[in-house]
Amino acid sequence: SAPSATLKDFSIGSFSLSENPLDFALDGQGFFTLQNDRGEMVYTRDGSFKVSTIGDDMLLVCKVQF
């Protein structure tokens, strides 16, 4: 049978150093607020960001797809 619910794990993990100056970590509760390509506000705890250029725009983007 199909699952009746999905459980999200928002527990706090450990911090580690990265070579990307655009990587961020959340200490405690909270989410990063992002805007997807449809203009909707979305939330993530994934702090792996990078810079992307689209035309003349420079964007801070995340690897998570919404």
Side-chain angles (χ1 to χ4, degrees), residues 2-65:
S4 61
T6 301
L7 177 65
K8 301 277 185 186
D9 180 6
F10 295 118
S11 60
I12 298 170
S14 61
F15 291 97
S16 62
L17 214 50
S18 116
E19 295 182 16
N20 180 0
L22 299 175
D23 282 350
F24 295 91
L26 295 168
D27 186 11
Q29 298 179 347
F31 292 87
F32 296 105
T33 305
L34 309 173
Q35 186 176 27
N36 67 16
D37 57 358
R38 296 180 302 275
E40 303 164 330
M41 300 307 282
V42 295
Y43 304 94
T44 185
R45 288 187 56 86
D46 185 342
S48 303
F49 296 100
K50 66 180 182 177
V51 173
S52 178
T53 55
I54 299 175
D56 292 333
D57 296 327
M58 289 186 73
L59 307 170
L60 187 62
V61 297
C62 157
K63 67 181 178 182
V64 178
Q65 298 295 316

